[in-house]
Amino acid sequence: MTDETGAGGEPEVSDSLRAFGEVVKAFRKRAGLTQETFAPEVGYSVPTVASIEQGRRFPPRDFIERAERILDAFGALRGAARHLSRQPGLASWFRQWARLEAEAVSLYTYECRLIPGLLQTEAYARTLFVNQLPPLGDGQIEAQWTARADRQRLLRERVNTAFSFILEEHLFLRRTGGTDVMRELLDHVLEIAQLRNVEVQVMPLVRESHAGLDGPMRLLETQENKWFGYCEGQESGQFIADSKVVSMLQMRYARMRSQALTLEDSLSLLQRMRGTL
């Protein structure tokens, strides 16, 4: 399974993330702050602060810097952050991308195999997990869904990040998980598409010219306005920093944006598909 699922093996237990979370919690309590009062100070939601303190979420760089300053942590948080190396529920090859994804100002995704993790419902995601081979244990499935749900907060929490998705029409026609699962998924995608920072386009089933025939791709822009790419196979992912290759992927993505249905036509098509279920 792709991206954050950690397909090839058991999700790794993150001792370093848990240890970092405990350090944050200790300094927060030392400062006399609750999660509810600390969250707005550091610029993140209460659930995100809780996830970081529980070791379930990799802390973004700006969180570390703000927390270090607000909690007067004597450099302890920066020091602990240097030892963070694991992220539970995420495939090892995806973690570098996930760290950048959490801070990106632009994130573009083209997918032709399945609905991207950021847009999945729990029922759709669990269908993928349950059907994975070799089979996953219950603990693995829970860890993977927790990681996926945590990443999905980016869509609503990073309101200044521009998210673009180009999805093949056949992903919705396949009805993965059955009619009820697909009905819920369509409702969810239509809801997410109403967010001001999210664009969803559908690549029609019949398309005589298509710039994405080499497969799925992701592109992101960092806060320093650097662009990176990511492409994924069955059991591996390729992080792309070469500017020439990234430029090529940007060219292909731009062409696909013009080849896909417009934003309005894409939503109309999804609404019609929803009406037939």
Side-chain angles (χ1 to χ4, degrees):
M1 204 56 60
T2 61
D3 61 58
E4 66 272 40
T5 57
E10 189 170 343
E12 298 180 62
V13 175
S14 180
D15 293 335
S16 58
L17 278 176
R18 282 200 293 265
F20 178 84
E22 288 296 331
V23 173
V24 172
K25 185 190 301 182
F27 275 100
R28 173 178 59 76
K29 290 183 175 180
R30 171 181 172 272
L33 297 173
T34 64
Q35 289 183 346
E36 288 73 19
T37 55
F38 177 54
E41 290 287 327
V42 81
Y44 283 84
S45 68
V46 174
T48 296
V49 170
S51 292
I52 292 172
E53 290 190 354
Q54 293 163 11
R56 295 192 299 108
R57 178 166 183 167
F58 204 99
R61 182 172 52 191
D62 57 348
F63 174 92
I64 296 168
E65 291 302 319
R66 291 174 193 167
E68 178 72 47
R69 183 180 68 256
I70 293 165
L71 301 178
D72 191 21
F74 313 109
L77 297 184
R78 292 193 191 98
R82 285 196 291 270
H83 299 287
L84 297 177
S85 60
R86 297 178 177 181
Q87 202 161 0
L90 296 182
S92 59
W93 61 81
F94 188 72
R95 291 179 190 129
Q96 183 179 9
W97 182 263
R99 288 195 290 272
L100 289 173
E101 178 186 69
E103 301 177 13
V105 297
S106 300
L107 186 68
Y108 301 163
T109 303
Y110 164 64
E111 188 54 79
C112 58
R113 303 161 302 174
L114 45 76
I115 301 299
L118 288 176
L119 296 178
Q120 292 175 8
T121 60
E122 181 173 357
Y124 182 93
R126 288 185 181 276
T127 296
L128 302 180
F129 300 152
V130 168
N131 286 285
Q132 192 165 314
L133 293 173
L136 298 177
D138 291 344
Q140 291 173 294
I141 290 175
E142 293 307 315
Q144 292 184 7
W145 168 245
T146 296
R148 183 155 304 183
D150 195 52
R151 282 180 59 234
Q152 289 179 351
R153 294 196 181 105
L154 295 175
L155 294 170
R156 298 185 186 276
E157 291 184 356
R158 295 196 62 82
V159 296
N160 298 122
T161 296
F163 294 90
S164 168
F165 298 92
I166 299 176
L167 311 175
E168 292 288 342
E169 181 180 353
H170 71 256
L171 298 179
F172 300 97
L173 296 174
R174 184 175 294 146
R175 298 193 182 183
T176 300
T179 300
D180 290 342
V181 170
M182 189 53 56
R183 185 184 296 119
E184 181 189 31
L185 178 70
L186 279 163
D187 285 341
H188 178 67
V189 172
L190 285 167
E191 177 187 351
I192 293 297
Q194 299 303 315
L195 298 176
R196 288 193 301 273
N197 60 326
V198 178
E199 294 183 351
V200 176
Q201 289 181 265
V202 176
M203 186 69 76
L205 198 58
V206 178
R207 194 69 183 83
E208 293 186 2
S209 61
H210 192 322
L213 295 180
D214 282 341
M217 70 172 77
R218 304 181 196 208
L219 291 160
L220 66 74
E221 179 186 12
T222 69
Q223 294 177 357
E224 295 76 30
N225 304 117
K226 294 181 179 180
W227 285 86
F228 296 98
Y230 178 78
C231 297
E232 196 167 68
Q234 290 259 340
E235 290 293 325
S236 64
Q238 180 185 10
F239 180 84
I240 302 169
D242 187 316
S243 60
K244 291 184 179 179
V245 179
V246 172
S247 178
M248 176 191 69
L249 294 178
Q250 287 176 309
M251 188 183 306
R252 292 177 181 176
Y253 197 89
R255 179 63 59 86
M256 281 193 288
R257 270 182 151 170
S258 69
Q259 293 170 334
L261 299 177
T262 66
L263 298 174
E264 294 78 10
D265 289 345
S266 294
L267 295 185
S268 294
L269 175 60
L270 295 177
Q271 288 165 349
R272 290 197 301 274
M273 289 175 141
R274 173 61 176 84
T276 63
L277 294 177

